[in-house]
Amino acid sequence: EPSVASSVEKILGDTAQLAATLSEHVFVLLGGTSELCPCLTLARAGATVVVISRPGEKLNTLLRYLDRETAGTIVVPLSRPQTEADDAATLGEVAGADVIERGPELITWLAALYPSKKMVIGSYIYVDGEAHVRASVAMDSVLAGVVAARPA
């Protein structure tokens, strides 16, 4: 669609407009480490990005890169409250959440996150076989739960 391409080019070319647009939104990426996920693009542009991904080295590698190389604000769920003593290594041990296993907790957490910003949720999880069906249902459930819980 030419009008969409034109609009995107206009916003990307106007850094003040881009910053204003991004500052009004928080981008929640279910499957934030997925190859198709726009995490890097959003973080490089300075967006507030909530990365929902299973705990592990793939997430930790992404978080270390984002911390060093991007201007965005990166938020991840933790399996325990953060303390002042935490550093990148200790946070890496507790960062992440499996959407299938922790869906209800994620709904509650996301619904309360950045209440003054417009929330954009993208579903990017892909796993092989029947697990993909379970992941898709879990992503849909999280999305529906957050939409229902957040003020319009």
Side-chain angles (χ1 to χ4, degrees):
E1 172 66 34
S3 65
V4 172
S6 173
S7 296
V8 170
E9 287 173 4
K10 180 180 177 188
I11 290 172
L12 291 177
D14 183 347
T15 55
Q17 165 105 24
L18 178 60
T21 300
L22 292 177
S23 70
E24 298 170 356
H25 293 81
V26 57
F27 297 87
V28 176
L29 308 175
L30 304 175
T33 58
S34 168
E35 293 294 323
L36 295 176
C37 182
C39 182
L40 293 176
T41 302
L42 290 166
R44 286 179 183 138
T48 299
V49 180
V50 180
V51 179
I52 307 294
S53 183
R54 290 182 291 189
E57 189 53 35
K58 191 172 181 181
L59 175 60
N60 293 340
T61 299
L62 174 66
L63 294 176
R64 284 191 301 271
Y65 175 82
L66 294 171
D67 184 48
R68 285 189 322 268
E69 304 292 333
T70 68
T73 299
I74 309 303
V75 180
V76 294
L78 302 175
S79 59
R80 64 158 172 77
Q82 185 173 353
T83 68
E84 288 188 29
D86 282 326
D87 59 14
T90 58
L91 287 175
E93 295 171 7
V94 296
D98 188 312
V99 172
I100 295 172
E101 295 175 6
R102 294 187 51 200
E105 294 169 74
L106 287 170
I107 291 168
T108 302
W109 181 67
L110 290 169
L113 202 60
Y114 294 101
S116 64
K117 292 188 178 210
K118 297 174 188 166
M119 185 172 279
V120 179
I121 303 176
S123 299
Y124 301 99
I125 296 173
Y126 180 82
V127 287
D128 291 327
E130 59 81 26
H132 185 71
V133 175
R134 291 188 295 127
S136 294
V137 170
M139 288 186 292
D140 288 349
S141 176
V142 168
L143 178 65
V146 171
V147 168
R150 276 180 76 91

